[in-house]
Amino acid sequence: MPSPDSVRATVQTILTRHGARSTQLVQILRETQEALGWLSPDCLADIADATGRTLAEVRGVASFYRFLHLKPVGEYRVLWSDNITDRMLGNRALMMQLCRELGIRPNTTSDDGLVSVALTSCSGMCDQAPAVLINHRWVGTRMDRERVAQMAALIRQRVPIPEWPAEWFVVEDNIRRRDLLLSCTAEPGEALRAALARGALGTLEEVKRAKLRGRGGAGFTTGAKWEACLNAHGQERFVVCNADEGEPGTFKDRVLLTAHADRIVEGMTLAALVTGARRGFIYLRGEYRYLLEHLQDVLARRRADKLLGSAILGRLGFDFDIDIHLGCGAYVCGEESALIESLEGKRGVPRIRPPYPVTHGYMGQPTVVNNVETFVAAAWIVQYGAEGWLRAGTLMSSGTRVHSFSGDVAQPGIYEFPWGVTVEDMLTECGAHNAQAVLVSGASGACLSLVEFGRRLAFEDVPSAGAFMVFDRTRDMFEVARNFAQFFAHESCGFCTPCRVGTRLVVKRMEKIERGRGSRHDIEVLAELDTLMHTATHCGLGGVACNVLHDTISKFRPAFERRLKSLHFEPGFDLDAELAPARAATGRDDDDAHLEQRG
Amino acid sequence: MSTESSSFLLDEQAVPFHEGDTVLAAATRAGRYIPHLCWHPDYGTHGSCRLCIVRINGKPAAACTVQARAGLEVESNTAELNAHRRTLLQMLFIEGNHFCPSCEKSGNCALQATAYEMGMLGPHFEEFYPDRAVDASHPDVMLDFNRCILCELCVRASHAEGKDVFAIGGYGVRAQLLVNASSGRLADTNLAVTDRAAQVCPVGAILPKRKGFSVPIGEREYDTHRPSDIVPEDTP
């Protein structure tokens, strides 16, 4: 264990690196934990003192993020990704095997402090699942029984993780279908030169003409957003790349960040040119910590090549630079105003909207927040022109969209299609021959059944945030719904009543049905909770928390009904079983000692 | 001062407003009741309890978060919205440990009174019965986390009076009130029983000590009037 003096010195170094700025609090906490393993009360007190925040506030921020620990955890912390696609590949059995071999239970730390094992929300590796996240830094893919047995041995022998078999940490891109964006081989700087040739306004016009819509899910028109930021009053403007890819089943941003990072930064720089922003942020989800050095290298290289920093491409006054902020395990930070709160060093609770970030964003200033893919698309449009973009896609959905395919498909991975493609064609392309359901857009998306496979992926029909999870006829759609119910209860920020309590109540009802104690009344209560959450939650995430539940109840009702004990009311417990202690005490077990006559 | 240009409709009746008012603030000033727990005229908008859920031009919104504008059509006292409010109240009851008969706040409690107002007859959902501690360390103030509804009024009041005794920690159903002391105990803060932060709690989470039942049940605040009995500010 490090001495108190060395702990203090480590914290001071990190604080100094961040200028002890209050806005850097989440980064300071994350880096402190990465250096020291957990956030001790003394560390928190030092950080509170230096940043000018109260101790309670610092505790409040630290305890908001799932990946920050206020109590000691294992030297080795193994988190198993728990998306439905991980479950379908047996993640839980593997986790239990690891626990058995290490002699611990899930969600506990071994007595010697060596190891802890737990579940985590989808880590964005659905195409190479089951996946683990180790010490919030290393991503292990394609786990199997053999790897788990070997991992247990390595942990017991305290072998440092960098010395583990390198092939475990290989994250493949798995690009299966390329269209406009993924086949692009432009050199760094080409889109920027095209933009400078067009001028800032000409660049904006081109993006508007291409009718590009945001790829994060809501589909707001990108050009209109950039223009609103340009026209908003403020001292400073900011461009933020939302790389907090937390939607279960979505991993296309992971691949773009890996294979097309230059195009992302290029798109951000275009947005800066248009809006006059001088600073930008990439908000990278904590699960993608392994990409941090790669992204920093890209930024450094671009600075050296005059594609980032001051006087970009020699143009005086064209100054723009980017910081990378890491998330710490909070799905809600994918919501743009929660993301900005987190960037400002706060709990990731969504803001009241309006005002929107485009007028009142980071530090209250006009801020463009776009999805990773949106920036890549903007770079394409500015370089190659709106005409080519408009030729792909549909009337209301121009261009292409990158999808993450997982679940029961022969070839999981990344597929880029023009908008307007049918679900059927997508299923054929990925080799899914026995599908009963497709979940488009992840946990907050829509669940389509066989009769809807003729529908098209487009904003005017089935919009998508980029996830495409396939379930074949052997799958139990109740379990799919239950997985996402647990996901939302785990990811609720806890701010508003309907989401905080409602997501938990949904889980409790689903568990009651799963135990075989459900009745039609429980399904009615679930529908009631769905309606309330759609109407009354503070942010959009609470509103969509029951989407999959709603769709599975209406389209796959037998999956629920075959579990019901009765179509009438059933209590959540077995009344007769509750009388067992009384029967034992009186030594009776005859028919009259039971609530219902047996036999 | 009500003119055509500075009023909106609340359940089909005109409500005048001042520049910068939210729908809830304007309605309250006009003596019109929209149920709420986390909103307070001195501490403004929070938006967490969601009881002030209304429909504005048909779209659901929290009345405390929406700026009043001329011509808005606000629906509040409808069967649909009151049913949602009952459910929200039931959620607040079942997530904590609220035993009204043994609570000193009974009769003065906004949660209890609003539940009566909305016609809530029972918990409807299964209680969570969370295991939460009581902080009785402070000489004059009792802090009972079992009754906290996370309205953050104490957090905001303490911030406004420059003490920052409270904050919010955790997430999801484990979100909780934090006390600003390295011990985490109220005794180790500079909170005084006379602080607004010690008095603003709408439920029985923060109570003064040694004041038990000094006003008898039957003569308490909500024994004599209902939350909906609001006196309009502009009347003499």
Side-chain angles (χ1 to χ4, degrees), chain A residues 381-445:
Chain A
I381 290 162
V382 172
Q383 182 169 349
Y384 301 105
E387 295 307 325
W389 190 253
L390 287 164
R391 271 196 295 276
T394 69
L395 197 61
M396 287 170 67
S397 315
S398 61
T400 65
R401 137 119 272 172
V402 183
H403 301 269
S404 324
F405 277 56
S406 63
D408 294 312
V409 302
Q411 298 275 310
I414 300 298
Y415 293 71
E416 184 186 7
F417 285 100
W419 284 112
V421 64
T422 63
V423 172
E424 191 118 55
D425 287 345
M426 295 171 86
L427 289 170
T428 307
E429 181 93 15
C430 69
H433 305 296
N434 193 26
Q436 66 164 325
V438 174
L439 193 46
V440 179
S441 220
S444 59

Side-chain angles (χ1 to χ4, degrees), chain A residues 386-571:
Chain A
E387 295 307 325
W389 190 253
L390 287 164
R391 271 196 295 276
T394 69
L395 197 61
M396 287 170 67
S397 315
S398 61
T400 65
R401 137 119 272 172
V402 183
H403 301 269
S404 324
F405 277 56
S406 63
D408 294 312
V409 302
Q411 298 275 310
I414 300 298
Y415 293 71
E416 184 186 7
F417 285 100
W419 284 112
V421 64
T422 63
V423 172
E424 191 118 55
D425 287 345
M426 295 171 86
L427 289 170
T428 307
E429 181 93 15
C430 69
H433 305 296
N434 193 26
Q436 66 164 325
V438 174
L439 193 46
V440 179
S441 220
S444 59
C447 188
L448 305 180
S449 67
L450 198 60
V451 294
E452 298 167 285
F453 288 176
R455 291 182 66 181
R456 292 175 188 280
L457 276 275
F459 288 104
E460 56 267 48
D461 190 357
V462 183
S464 173
F468 194 87
M469 285 182 270
V470 180
F471 304 95
D472 73 19
R473 277 168 224 190
T474 67
R475 303 296 177 186
D476 181 348
M477 295 310 290
F478 175 85
E479 284 303 327
V480 176
R482 196 163 74 99
N483 176 273
F484 292 122
Q486 290 166 336
F487 168 79
F488 279 107
H490 180 67
E491 294 296 347
S492 168
C493 82
F495 176 77
C496 78
T497 311
C499 176
R500 181 180 69 240
V501 186
T503 53
R504 183 59 56 189
L505 282 170
V506 168
V507 168
K508 282 172 172 275
R509 292 287 152 154
M510 294 295 277
E511 281 168 0
K512 185 184 172 198
I513 294 172
E514 199 263 337
R515 286 197 310 272
R517 307 287 317 162
S519 67
R520 187 176 287 165
H521 175 71
D522 294 301
I523 293 184
E524 284 161 11
V525 171
L526 287 171
E528 175 197 333
L529 289 167
D530 173 31
T531 309
L532 175 74
M533 288 165 72
H534 254 294
T535 313
T537 51
H538 169 62
C539 80
L541 298 191
V544 298
C546 290
N547 278 7
V548 173
L549 178 68
H550 178 271
D551 281 0
T552 44
I553 289 178
S554 60
K555 297 173 190 173
F556 301 93
R557 202 173 174 93
F560 286 74
E561 287 192 337
R562 69 184 178 79
R563 282 189 160 78
L564 301 184
K565 185 176 167 64
S566 131
L567 292 182
H568 308 288
F569 176 77
E570 274 295 320

